Structure formats: structure tokens, C-alpha cells
Amino acid sequence: MCGIVGYIGAEEAAPILLDGLARLEYRGYDSAGLAVFSPAQGLQVVKAKGRLSVLSGIVDGGSALHGTVGVGHTRWATHGEPSDVNSHPQVSASGRIAVVHNGIIENYVQIKEFLASKGVHFVSQTDTEVVAHLLEYYYEGDILEAVSKVLHRIEGAYALGIICADCPDRLIAARKDSPLILGYGEGFNFLASDVTAVIKYTRDVCYLEDGEIAVLTKDAIQVYSHPYLQPVEKERHHVDWEISAAEKGGYEHFMAKEIMEQPKAFHDTISPRIQDGRVVLEGLDLDGDYLRRMDKIYIIACGSSYHVGMVAKYILEKALRKPVEVALASEFRYCDPLVTRDTLCIVISQSGETIDTMAALREAKRRGATILSIVNVVGSSIARESDYVLYTWAGPEIAVATTKAYSTQLALIYLITLRFAELLGTMAEEERRAVIDELRTIPGKMQKILDDRESIQYYASIYFNHESIFFIGRNIDYAIGLEGSLKLKEISYIHSEAYAAGELKHGTISLIEEGTLVIALASCAPLFDKLVSNIVEVKSRGADVLGLTVESKGEDLKKVVDNAILVPDTHPMLLPSLDVIPMQLFAYYVALMRGCDIDKPRNLAKSVTVE
Ligand code: F6R
């Protein structure tokens, strides 16, 4: 979703801003723009619909714009179509103040009417334009005062970057419910939507909190709390991942690189947390008494993270004998959820900034629940507002379609399950140790599947022309089907649905006809025969079936399907980590063969910061 970067220093700002925006491209956008100030040329604003390369072409890679302070933006349209005029920065009527914004100003219509009654003329359909005009309305020589007054008036979510021609020695940043970080340099400073934009220049950052305003000069950053403008001391964080982690490293797409990184990401997530054959979860001091009192676990997430929650429900309920509910975050907050002080909410989010998930977390907290979050981005909003946080050590995930974050979220679900089962005494010591031993073998087994990726590429070449694909499975295989189907549709644009295999005959089987592709997941050993019956049902109606099971069941499966994918055998609880990889590879190769924009699928954003 929209990307923001701002720079103030001694270098030419435009090339630095373009470079930062390029690193934020993965968030998803449809237009881009820059505002740069120079004493000779004043505030120069250039905006263009389309890819960043269009903007970069107009400003000759930045060399056509002079000035050492500026803001840049990639826009993911919400209010008003993608167009040059609706792109950010939005500028006040006099052209003195430029604003970039991520989020939605919910009361923009009222403010627009108010400003129109004062004679202000609007040129765009955006909600953001009201911020630029309102700033000018309140501006009486002190831009910080003006920002503070504007924040009193606007409602909704925002990360703002502001530059004013009257005080070009400073940049202003403000946030509420949309992410914004500040980067500390020597003789320069940054504001940005996330650290990927600034890591080439500095690794020292702080996270702006809701209700904070920052004033950046080239030599200092001062943060104030809104509304009384009290100075705030910010804690600096050092980002220690390598810049190469956010680069393609020889792969054609980030998604391919991230799929291949899964064995390492999984290993990095589990290995520090297994000590002397036991699971140790840092900082998580929920004890046996708490867990026995706990009335249920509520898992809250969106999209693929929600699909991890679906897998988790099967695993946690079986191991802990406690009720587990899984809720889509966007539904949770409006369903008057049955959450008590004894409910544990596990909130799952790669970005840690998904606004629906964030809002659901706050609702659960308001109702007294304990919040344990599983997050990839260190210091993100969800991590900071949770009672406990466990980080997935996947490294930066750039492709819009998640892969390694999904796998590491699963890894943490296994660890939580094992730890809670130990505390509750619901899993025999011997089995627990056996699962822990097996857990260590998963990266190697993942690698084996990845090494054989050409077979999946071959199946993709057979099936990439299908226009509708069904995934069927039972239990955790059904949950993996949901993820396989989402991966496929989001990057290849093929219509696809995932069904609990036993549910097909209650309606959906009418869609199966000659040549329909059905991907049948049959890795759950106790349900294998049931799944075979479902495969036979769809085959006898003409379906072409691509099946998946474990190696030990391979020969049996091959008797009933047209093609089979085999994954190494493992403990049933850990199967999702192996099953999902062929699904990711299949989606990737199909999208590749269809010529899709794999890392940046249409209409999608990596970090969904609007409701
Ligand atoms: C799909 C995908 C999305 C995200 C969802 C939640 O490949 O990546 O469905 O899983 O938008 O995002 P996070 O996990 O950042 O809260």
C-alpha cells in the first residue's frame, strides 16, 4: 500500500527519493510523485500515473530536479482513480506546502465543504488534498503549529510527510494507524514507510507511534506528542539484516527467491528456540495455571496468515484439547466476539501493520484478552501493541504473495503447540521429543522438494491454460488447499476455489466437468482413503486430477490420479510445511507461463493499511 519516503541532507534529494521509492515498490502502487525544494526553483512537484520508471523518466533519474530536501510517494488508489492529478504529493493552493499520505482521511468530505466555503478550489478527487489546503489555512509562520491544528481536525488513518517552502530546513512527519519510521544519518535524516527504503543509507531507525509528530532537520530529529507538543525521547533501533536480503540476488523474481529461502527461514525461526530437546519461547511467561484457566484460543489474521490460523486450529485443538476459533480480522471486530479475560488471542501478521488485524487486536484487548502475536517485521505496530510477541525470522519479504513468512508462521505455531502441550501435559513426553527431533529435519525435507522443482514446473506447463481450478482436501490438507488456491489466484489470475473434500457433493461438484483440473491434497494418512473416494467422484465426472501425498502413499495415489506430487514423509503435525511448497511452486510457474507480473500482482498491496 502507499509508500512514503522523505529526505533532508546535503545531497541532491531526487535520486535518493527515487531509490527509496523503488525499494517500496513491493508494497503495491499505481502512480508516483516527488516534491523537492531548492532556493532557486522553489517547491518543484512532479507526478505520474503508472510505474516508477515513468516518473523516473520524466525527471531523468532525478537529475532534472535540484534540491536537498524532498518527499516522494507511491500511491495505491483509494479516493479517486489512478491519475497524474490524484497522485501525491498533493499541494496547497499557493504551491507552498506539499503533502504525501498513506491511509484514509475519513472526514475529508466535511473538511472539503468547510474549505470550499472559504473559497478553496480543489483539483483532485483525493482525501489527501484536504490536508494540504487545511495546512495552508492554519499556517501562520509555524509549520509545526499548523500540523498540530490539522491533526485536531482530521479523522482516520494517516502517515504524513510534509514539506513547506517557507521552512525548507525541515521535514515534518506524523502518524496515526499507518506505519512511519525515521532514519538517523550523519548530516541527513529520513522518514519512510518502512526500513527497506532507507537501509542503504542508515541502519539506525525509530518507529513513530500513533499521535506523534516529528520535525527532521539535516542534523537532528525531534519527536513531539500530539496535541500538547511535548518533546518525546525515542528509542533508536539498529537494523541488522543485510541489504542483499531485500534484493533479488540473481533470481528473476522476489517470489522465487523467497520460496527458495524457506529452509533457511524455517531453520532460523526454530533453532534458537529449541534448547536441550525442549521448546523455549523468549519472553512468553504464560504458565500451566494460565493455560488450564484459558477458556479458548482465538486466532486472528487476514489472507495467508489466516490460512496459517486454519492449520493451527487443527494442530492446537488436537494437541491441547482446548477450543480454538479462527477469525478473519475484518470480521472479528464486528461480530461481538466471545472473548473473555481468560481468552488467548494469537494474532498473526507478516507485516505487523495490517489495519484490520490491528483493529481486531485492539478490540480483543479492550475485551480483556491476552494477546500473543506472531510477526515478521520487528518493531511493527502489532508487535508493539501485543502483550507477547514471537518474531518469525524470515527476513524481509518483498513479493506481494507471501511464502517464507507463511512457512515461518507455521514454524512458530508448531513451537507454541509443543510448549503449551508440555505445560498442560497433553502430549506424552516421548511424542513431544519425537516431534521436536522431526522439526529439525523439516528444512532438509523442504530443500528436497525445492531441488525437485522441475517436476512442478512440468505440471505447471501442462495445466497453465486452465481457467478454473479446484483444490480439495480434508483437515490440514483442506487448510493447505486454501493457501494453494489463494497463491494461484492472486498471482496467475486463474479462478480457483478450495473445498473441504467431503463438502463438494453438497453443491460444488456440479461445476466439475470434462477436463476440469482438481488438485487433490491427500497427505493426511488417516483420511487418505476418504480422499481417494473424493478423487474417484471427481474423476468419474471428467476431472483431470493432480494429486499430492507423502512418498509412502505415492504408489496408492498414482493408481487414482492423472499426475502425482510426492513430499517426504514426516510427523502429521508438520506436514503443512512440506505440502505448501509444491503449491507455491505451482502457482509461481503457472503465473510465469501466463506472463503475469508475479511480484506485483494487479490491484494488490503488500501491506494493507486501509480497511
Ligand atoms: C497473500 C498475502 C496476503 C497476506 C494478508 C495479511 O499471499 O500475502 O493474503 O497474508 O494481506 O498480511 P499480514 O500477514 O502482513 O497481516
Side-chain angles (χ1 to χ4, degrees):
M1 217 132 267
C2 304
I4 291 178
V5 56
Y7 168 85
I8 185 160
E11 306 286 322
E12 289 284 19
I16 295 173
L17 294 172
L18 284 171
D19 179 62
L21 290 180
R23 290 169 196 280
L24 295 177
E25 273 193 295
Y26 77 94
R27 297 170 67 88
Y29 70 104
D30 42 52
S31 49
L34 295 174
V36 174
F37 178 87
S38 83
Q41 285 143 317
L43 196 59
Q44 312 139 77
V45 177
V46 185
K47 313 193 284 189
K49 179 184 164 186
R51 290 285 178 220
L52 197 55
S53 53
V54 179
L55 176 71
S56 182
I58 295 171
V59 298
D60 206 4
S63 60
L65 285 183
H66 297 292
T68 59
V69 55
V71 288
H73 189 263
T74 45
R75 173 175 186 253
W76 189 83
T78 56
H79 294 60
E81 58 175 5
S83 68
D84 292 357
V85 74
N86 285 337
S87 308
H88 300 197
Q90 290 291 322
V91 181
S92 66
S94 69
R96 282 186 306 168
I97 300 174
V99 176
V100 291
H101 168 218
N102 175 15
I104 291 179
I105 307 299
E106 285 168 359
N107 60 341
Y108 82 103
V109 174
Q110 294 93 306
I111 297 175
K112 197 166 181 175
E113 282 168 5
F114 165 76
L115 289 168
S117 75
K118 303 283 174 199
V120 174
H121 173 65
F122 284 80
V123 294
S124 78
Q125 288 102 49
T126 65
D127 51 335
T128 305
E129 193 182 350
V130 301
V131 178
H133 292 307
L134 202 56
L135 276 167
E136 185 148 291
Y137 178 79
Y138 285 125
Y139 180 65
E140 290 173 334
D142 183 339
I143 189 69
L144 182 59
E145 278 289 333
V147 170
S148 179
K149 285 181 181 163
V150 166
L151 299 192
H152 269 297
R153 293 287 302 268
I154 59 176
E155 290 165 14
Y158 49 80
L160 294 168
I162 298 160
I163 177 170
C164 175
D166 289 358
C167 44
D169 58 343
R170 71 195 67 173
L171 274 181
I172 310 286
R175 102 156 238 176
K176 178 175 164 284
D177 292 341
S178 288
L180 206 56
I181 64 110
L182 306 174
Y184 298 84
E186 300 222 340
F188 64 89
N189 286 306
F190 277 98
L191 60 91
S193 294
D194 67 48
V195 290
T196 43
V198 307
I199 191 157
K200 185 169 157 193
Y201 307 93
T202 176
R203 290 173 173 277
D204 291 325
V205 303
C206 77
Y207 304 97
L208 213 56
E209 301 281 351
D210 281 353
E212 289 181 343
I213 308 174
V215 178
L216 289 76
T217 64
K218 76 182 178 48
D219 297 313
I221 294 179
Q222 179 59 58
V223 176
Y224 300 92
S225 63
H226 176 68
Y228 300 113
L229 298 183
Q230 295 294 315
V232 177
E233 274 308 310
K234 297 297 288 181
E235 189 187 341
R236 286 197 200 194
H237 299 264
H238 187 75
V239 179
D240 54 12
W241 45 264
E242 291 304 317
I243 190 164
S244 60
E247 290 172 349
K248 281 190 200 149
Y251 287 92
E252 197 178 341
H253 297 101
F254 278 111
M255 186 176 176
K257 174 177 175 245
E258 289 162 6
I259 288 174
M260 296 303 288
E261 282 173 348
Q262 290 180 106
K264 178 175 182 318
F266 191 96
H267 172 269
D268 291 351
T269 301
I270 62 162
S271 61
R273 292 165 169 137
I274 299 178
Q275 293 165 19
D276 300 326
R278 293 185 54 230
V279 172
V280 178
L281 297 175
E282 69 280 7
L284 186 62
D285 58 11
L286 299 175
D287 58 14
D289 285 343
Y290 172 83
L291 292 175
R292 273 183 287 281
R293 216 172 49 240
M294 178 178 78
D295 55 9
K296 73 169 139 187
I297 296 177
Y298 226 132
I299 302 181
I300 303 170
C302 304
S304 293
S305 298
Y306 169 78
H307 294 157
V308 170
M310 291 287 289
V311 174
K313 175 181 166 68
Y314 290 113
I315 292 175
L316 284 162
E317 273 186 348
K318 189 168 165 51
L320 308 185
R321 309 316 297 159
K322 286 272 186 183
V324 179
E325 275 198 57
V326 196
L328 290 165
S330 53
E331 290 293 313
F332 176 88
R333 50 189 303 218
Y334 301 115
C335 73
D336 198 5
L338 289 173
V339 168
T340 71
R341 304 190 72 78
D342 291 329
T343 304
L344 175 65
C345 283
I346 302 184
V347 174
I348 310 177
S349 175
Q350 185 283 130
S351 60
E353 299 293 351
T354 303
I355 201 151
D356 284 326
T357 311
M358 184 71 207
L361 178 159
R362 287 179 179 159
E363 182 58 32
K365 215 169 172 180
R366 200 179 64 75
R367 290 170 185 248
T370 299
I371 313 290
L372 163 60
S373 64
I374 295 179
V375 174
N376 193 41
V377 178
V378 175
S380 54
S381 305
I382 288 174
R384 282 178 289 142
E385 293 203 18
S386 301
D387 298 306
Y388 303 99
V389 56
L390 293 172
Y391 285 110
T392 47
W393 298 122
E397 191 177 63
I398 306 293
V400 163
T402 183
T403 52
K404 61 177 180 170
Y406 175 96
S407 283
T408 51
Q409 288 167 354
L410 271 184
L412 279 176
I413 291 295
Y414 304 146
L415 295 177
I416 291 169
T417 306
L418 289 162
R419 177 69 184 136
F420 285 5
E422 181 183 1
L423 289 166
L424 284 169
T426 50
M427 198 189 268
E429 166 85 13
E430 210 172 289
E431 182 180 7
R432 215 166 22 78
R433 290 203 176 258
V435 179
I436 291 172
D437 286 347
E438 185 60 22
L439 200 51
R440 293 179 195 273
T441 72
I442 293 295
K445 291 181 177 177
M446 286 175 153
Q447 192 59 51
K448 187 169 176 219
I449 300 170
L450 291 169
D451 290 345
D452 185 33
R453 59 192 176 281
E454 276 180 16
S455 64
I456 311 287
Q457 191 171 12
Y458 168 69
Y459 296 135
S461 75
I462 303 177
Y463 296 121
F464 78 98
N465 269 330
H466 282 252
E467 288 308 327
S468 182
I469 299 179
F470 289 86
F471 289 72
I472 59 170
R474 289 168 181 259
N475 199 272
I476 53 171
D477 282 329
Y478 166 49
I480 295 299
L482 288 168
E483 178 59 7
S485 171
L486 176 60
K487 281 293 84 91
L488 184 73
K489 58 193 150 202
E490 69 179 324
I491 61 168
S492 74
Y493 314 143
I494 295 177
H495 169 256
S496 150
E497 296 194 37
Y499 263 82
E503 186 64 13
L504 264 193
K505 55 187 171 297
H506 297 289
T508 316
I509 201 160
S510 65
L511 291 169
I512 306 291
E513 55 187 9
E514 201 59 39
T516 305
L517 177 60
V518 174
I519 299 184
L521 295 138
S523 68
C524 275
L527 298 169
F528 182 82
D529 293 341
K530 296 276 173 217
L531 221 276
V532 166
S533 305
N534 298 130
I535 291 172
V536 174
E537 278 163 16
V538 294
K539 276 222 61 74
S540 56
R541 284 159 181 84
D544 205 339
V545 178
L546 172 61
L548 177 146
T549 192
V550 286
E551 283 163 358
S552 60
K553 288 280 184 190
E555 291 313 310
D556 295 336
L557 186 72
K558 282 177 187 167
K559 288 180 197 148
V560 289
V561 298
D562 297 282
N563 287 294
I565 300 169
L566 304 184
V567 298
D569 286 82
T570 185
H571 188 282
M573 177 174 138
L574 309 178
L575 269 171
S577 293
L578 304 183
D579 292 351
V580 77
I581 293 181
M583 299 297 103
Q584 298 165 344
L585 288 168
F586 183 77
Y588 175 76
Y589 287 124
V590 166
L592 192 65
M593 286 165 200
R594 291 168 73 97
C596 299
D597 191 351
I598 292 181
D599 284 338
K600 297 189 276 290
R602 68 185 178 210
N603 304 337
L604 288 177
K606 181 71 180 161
S607 175
V608 184
T609 51
V610 295
E611 265 196 65

